[in-house]
Amino acid sequence: VRLVDSGGGLVQPGGSLRLSCTASGFTFSRYAMSWVRQAPGKGLEWVSLITGSGGATFYVDSGKGRFTISRDNSKNTLYLHMNSLRAEDTAVYYCARASGWSYLDYWGLGTLVTVSS
Amino acid sequence: QSVLTQPPSASGTPGQRVTISCSGSSSNIGSNTVNWYQELPGTAPKLLINSNDQRPSGVPDRFSGSKSGTSASLAISGLQSEDEADYYCAAWDDSLNAYVFGTGTQVTVL
């Protein structure tokens, strides 16, 4: 199992960014996937989850209306579209495979998002 | 603000047993299984314990998990220097419809 996160970078407050996570080594469509972030010097914060089919999505309260999780099962790729970014969204964002909706058993290496003017 | 509460730090000498608590509520730990993650310095988090007390393949048996009511615990028996890391509990919360992490505990090997 391998997860490769990408798409992070420096963005101005109010801007947008799309993160990607390319998966390999397992049947991607059979698993829910999540995004988790970690602000500098802070703990882990779950951001979003999408079911294997993409039919259901869930978000942390601070991301509702601003973040959209999606997936392309034909490309084995997970996405996180982030709009109206704020300084407090600055963090390393990890994608993770969700096993049975209950636990995150494989993680990517993370991609850094910095929101600053 | 996390809904799962952990002590900010724990420590022990090599070979000692260290226990980390995780306190939640009826909507998370009380209703769903608890998982534990280990974050070594500079690395991505790693699943340590799933489903309250199950060790994934490759996790040493000195790590063990338990759950009772709305609380859970992670025990490290025979503490080793490579166990210095941050540890997080986590569970699905039925009221928030969200996955919640604990506040995290930094373990130091003296």
Side-chain angles (χ1 to χ4, degrees):
Chain A
V1 173
R2 188 173 184 223
L3 300 172
V4 179
D5 326 88
S6 62
L10 175 64
V11 60
Q12 292 190 337
S16 300
L17 207 59
R18 187 187 79 167
L19 306 183
S20 300
C21 171
T22 303
S24 60
F26 65 101
T27 304
F28 184 65
S29 61
R30 291 186 182 174
Y31 288 86
M33 297 292 295
S34 254
W35 288 98
V36 176
R37 67 184 179 183
Q38 186 169 38
K42 303 295 184 181
L44 299 175
E45 180 182 40
W46 173 83
V47 174
S48 185
L49 179 143
I50 186 169
T51 55
S53 65
T57 57
F58 303 87
Y59 298 93
V60 66
D61 280 350
S62 62
K64 290 176 182 175
R66 299 190 303 128
F67 294 175
T68 302
I69 190 171
S70 63
R71 63 192 298 159
D72 185 336
N73 286 343
S74 68
K75 295 182 178 179
N76 287 357
T77 302
L78 173 73
Y79 302 101
L80 184 67
H81 301 254
M82 302 186 292
N83 297 320
S84 303
L85 283 163
R86 309 163 180 165
E88 52 265 37
D89 296 317
T90 294
V92 174
Y93 286 72
Y94 297 98
C95 69
R97 190 179 83 168
S99 188
W101 285 54
S102 173
Y103 54 92
L104 306 176
D105 57 357
Y106 289 94
W107 296 61
L109 296 181
T111 186
L112 175 62
V113 172
T114 303
V115 183
S116 175
S117 55
Chain B
Q1 185 176 357
S2 177
V3 298
L4 302 182
T5 303
Q6 301 177 231
S9 63
S11 62
T13 57
Q16 276 191 328
R17 176 183 172 92
V18 169
T19 301
I20 300 169
S21 61
C22 175
S23 178
S25 67
S26 59
S27 63
N28 41 66
I29 294 178
S31 306
N32 298 294
T33 57
V34 178
N35 311 295
W36 290 89
Y37 300 90
Q38 178 192 56
E39 189 176 34
L40 294 167
T43 69
K46 167 192 166 185
L47 178 66
L48 195 66
I49 297 287
N50 65 271
S51 309
N52 301 330
D53 57 10
Q54 301 300 301
R55 278 188 310 276
S57 175
V59 174
D61 60 6
R62 64 177 183 275
F63 293 96
S64 62
S66 63
K67 172 185 141 176
S68 178
T70 59
S71 295
S73 292
L74 173 71
I76 310 174
S77 302
L79 192 65
Q80 299 185 8
S81 58
E82 58 260 39
D83 298 334
E84 274 208 345
D86 293 328
Y87 294 84
Y88 296 88
C89 59
W92 187 262
D93 190 296
D94 292 335
S95 294
L96 297 174
N97 244 355
Y99 195 67
V100 291
F101 283 96
T103 48
T105 299
Q106 184 176 59
V107 169
T108 302
V109 182
L110 303 171

